[in-house]
Amino acid sequence: MELTHQDWVERAKAIEFPRHALIDGQNVDAVSGKTFDTINPATGEVLTRLPACDAADVDKAVQAARRAFEDRRWSGKSPAERKAVLLRLSALILENQAELALLDSLDMGKLVRDAATIDVPGAAAIFQWYGEAIDKIYDEIAPTGSSDLAMVRREALGVVAAVVPWNFPLDMATWKCAPALAMGNSVILKPAEQSPLSALRLAELAREAGLPDGVLNVVTGYGETAGKAIGLHPDIDCIAFTGSTEVGKYFLEYSGQSNMKQVWLECGGKSPNLVFADCDDLDKAAEMAAFGIFFNQGEVCTANSRLLLEKSIADEFLERLVEKAKGFSPGNPLDPASAMGAIVDEGQTARIMSYIEHGRATCTLLHGGNRQTVSGKGCFVEPTIFSDVAPDNRLAVEEIFGPVLAVTTFESEDEAIAIANDTIYGLAASVWTSNLSRAHRVSSKLRAGTVSVNTVDALSPMTPFGGFKQSGIGRDLSLHAFDKFSALKTTWIKLKG
């Protein structure tokens, strides 16, 4: 999408921001009448005011979703019929590409260029992929004796709640909603309070595509009220959550305190990027190491936030890396020439800066380290690199969720693997080597859901995404995502001889 800075500014002026939640096909205020502001982190400007939904609103959404499921207005449609609606929705997402990109950029500070060329096309592709997949999933016949017929069918769960984060607002909503809807479930989508706008627009487009009322409901509000109410509601069958490990644990507790609803979690990460001396393209590795931590302002669960360098190449590599980092200076998110956008809000900016101050006191600052403004406004942080980071330093242990890279050296393959695996997380990892045996050997020993070799953060609708340890439970993407939103039913028939 070839638009100039001024083009994006003019389009932003023309947007009509939503002011309501969406329940049972209706635009609604919160039962309490409470609202909250959505703020552009690049300017501090209030974009709109939305309902601060709580338990009463969640209950209304659950009732609407349950009615829609039980009367089979969506769950009763054939896979081919559901496919047609999801393919239409995919097309509508692309038709509204600029608007959706602007909503995410203005809402949480990401570069509009990235939203338009990566996020929005990615969301459309996900709906297309699951729409195309759903009429190609077959049920099973078990290998019983000749006098029995045992059928194994995959059925929708019922009411699914999707609680999604602010770093990729449209994409994360799509990762949950597309397979859940394709299976025939009704969905309650709770976007992060920092970035609810594209979720509301997605629901409008879904209605336009032919999704019946009540099948996709969007509840806006805070995690401690609306999110907690979702976790504790006794008539929700499943929660699919992406966010911090801390909050993921709350949802496990809420499930135990209520109806033992299924809880699927995609949580935190502290992904290691291992660069060995036999890497045959250090310049490419340095370029991708910078991209792996500074893309989307480092607000990525799989961000390669730990760089592990073989000691013999560390000095040369770091020289290259610092030069690459200079190309990620933050700027106006609506300017296609900007290399990095704004941090999502003041709270997250302060959190990132506290880690940087810790790094100044305990490590070697190679680059960056400062908060910035654009035109005197906004939440911006320079790309920041620390070297001489001990494996047990907070910078190497805790998820910062910002453009801060911790660099540690190693002297052997075994040491590199031990450092990489010494974490509570296990979401992703990268390995750089020209040795095919090493690539296989190291990848097999890394405890991570995705290991990218000679690249970073590789993903596709075709491959499962998720992690080990406290990075979560279950997988997004691929056909395996259907496992989260369906249940297997056995029907055993005794045949008469």
Side-chain angles (χ1 to χ4, degrees):
M1 179 168 287
E2 298 292 335
L3 294 177
T4 67
H5 182 192
Q6 191 57 39
D7 290 334
W8 285 114
V9 170
E10 293 302 318
R11 288 184 179 231
K13 291 178 181 177
I15 288 182
E16 293 186 13
F17 295 107
R19 295 184 177 277
H20 302 91
L22 182 71
I23 297 177
D24 205 13
Q26 303 297 313
N27 292 324
V28 298
D29 295 321
V31 172
S32 67
K34 295 179 180 179
T35 62
F36 67 98
D37 292 337
T38 61
I39 297 171
N40 181 346
T43 64
E45 170 193 7
V46 175
L47 300 172
T48 189
R49 186 165 290 150
L50 287 170
C53 296
D54 57 23
D57 308 285
V58 168
D59 191 57
K60 287 174 59 179
V62 172
Q63 291 181 40
R66 180 61 65 187
R67 284 194 301 270
F69 183 75
E70 295 296 341
D71 69 21
R72 299 179 60 78
R73 68 186 75 166
W74 178 247
S75 60
K77 290 186 180 298
S78 69
E81 290 173 315
R82 297 199 297 272
K83 168 183 173 178
V85 173
L86 296 185
L87 292 183
R88 176 60 180 149
L89 176 54
S90 173
L92 286 172
I93 289 171
L94 290 179
E95 289 175 20
N96 293 271
Q97 185 174 3
E99 180 189 6
L100 288 165
L102 277 168
L103 288 175
D104 275 1
S105 178
L106 296 171
D107 219 4
M108 58 74 58
K110 70 165 59 232
L111 296 177
V112 74
R113 180 194 66 225
D114 288 348
T117 60
I118 300 173
D119 296 23
V120 179
I126 294 294
F127 273 108
Q128 180 184 27
W129 199 86
Y130 282 104
E132 292 284 6
I134 192 59
D135 63 355
K136 300 169 183 67
I137 302 296
Y138 287 81
D139 295 325
E140 303 170 11
I141 300 294
T144 60
S146 59
S147 62
D148 297 286
L149 177 63
M151 299 176 289
V152 182
R153 302 188 62 186
R154 185 181 292 273
E155 296 189 354
L157 289 176
V159 176
V160 170
V163 182
V164 298
W166 46 258
N167 58 333
F168 291 92
L170 180 64
D171 274 2
M172 292 298 98
T174 298
W175 284 24
K176 311 298 187 189
C177 291
L181 291 172
M183 275 306 308
N185 295 286
S186 296
V187 176
I188 299 160
L189 174 60
K190 194 282 180 189
E193 57 267 27
Q194 297 92 338
S195 59
L197 300 181
S198 61
L200 290 164
R201 185 67 178 120
L202 175 66
E204 291 177 351
L205 294 176
R207 292 187 70 205
E208 185 178 341
L211 194 71
D213 290 345
V215 175
L216 177 58
N217 308 274
V218 182
V219 177
T220 56
Y222 296 103
E224 55 266 33
T225 50
K228 182 176 181 179
I230 285 171
L232 291 170
H233 200 286
D235 199 27
I236 291 175
D237 299 294
C238 168
I239 290 177
F241 169 77
T242 293
S244 71
T245 294
E246 177 186 10
V247 176
K249 292 177 179 179
Y250 284 133
F251 279 111
L252 291 173
E253 292 179 10
Y254 298 151
S255 174
Q257 293 168 14
S258 54
N259 61 336
M260 290 178 60
K261 59 178 67 64
Q262 295 184 32
V263 178
W264 301 102
L265 305 173
E266 194 272 283
C267 296
K270 195 67 182 175
S271 300
N273 184 10
L274 289 67
V275 183
F276 289 92
D278 60 13
C279 171
D280 60 9
D281 191 346
L282 290 183
D283 196 64
K284 183 64 174 180
E287 176 187 337
M288 296 305 291
F291 175 83
I293 182 60
F294 301 135
F295 171 67
N296 206 53
Q297 304 76 247
E299 297 167 328
V300 183
C301 57
T302 53
N304 285 205
S305 55
R306 289 188 293 152
L307 176 61
L308 309 186
L309 295 176
E310 191 161 356
K311 196 167 186 177
S312 62
I313 61 167
D315 291 343
E316 178 188 356
F317 192 91
L318 289 174
E319 287 182 12
R320 296 172 186 258
L321 179 63
V322 168
E323 287 302 310
K324 303 296 184 184
K326 292 176 182 177
F328 282 88
S329 295
N332 189 318
L334 298 187
D335 187 348
S338 296
M340 204 163 65
I343 304 301
V344 67
D345 60 18
E346 286 286 350
Q348 181 63 13
T349 304
R351 183 174 185 272
I352 293 168
M353 292 308 301
S354 72
Y355 278 102
I356 289 175
E357 291 309 308
H358 175 77
R360 288 180 186 274
T362 59
C363 310
T364 301
L365 177 63
L366 292 183
H367 181 75
N370 299 303
R371 177 172 179 170
Q372 294 185 335
T373 61
V374 173
S375 300
K377 300 177 181 178
C379 301
F380 298 88
V381 176
E382 286 182 307
T384 300
I385 302 172
F386 288 100
S387 64
D388 304 315
V389 181
D392 61 352
N393 190 294
R394 288 181 59 205
L395 297 188
V397 173
E398 299 175 14
E399 186 178 37
I400 300 172
F401 226 62
V404 181
L405 179 63
V407 183
T408 303
T409 59
F410 63 87
E411 294 188 353
S412 70
E413 183 179 300
D414 287 343
E415 183 186 10
I417 293 168
I419 295 171
N421 286 337
D422 187 17
T423 173
I424 66 170
Y425 301 113
L427 190 55
S430 292
V431 178
W432 293 82
T433 177
S434 59
N435 184 316
L436 181 60
S437 293
R438 169 170 277 164
H440 281 288
R441 187 170 60 244
V442 173
S443 297
S444 69
K445 293 179 180 179
L446 291 174
R447 294 291 291 168
T450 298
V451 180
S452 304
V453 178
N454 295 333
T455 187
V456 298
D457 207 13
L459 61 83
S460 161
M462 298 176 290
T463 55
F465 179 93
F468 299 158
K469 299 189 276 188
Q470 294 188 45
S471 284
I473 305 166
R475 294 295 184 265
D476 286 319
L477 303 181
S478 80
L479 294 179
H480 295 283
F482 286 129
D483 296 338
K484 299 191 300 187
F485 305 119
S486 61
L488 297 179
K489 176 187 284 185
T490 297
T491 303
W492 191 299
I493 300 174
K494 176 66 69 172
L495 304 177
K496 293 183 178 180

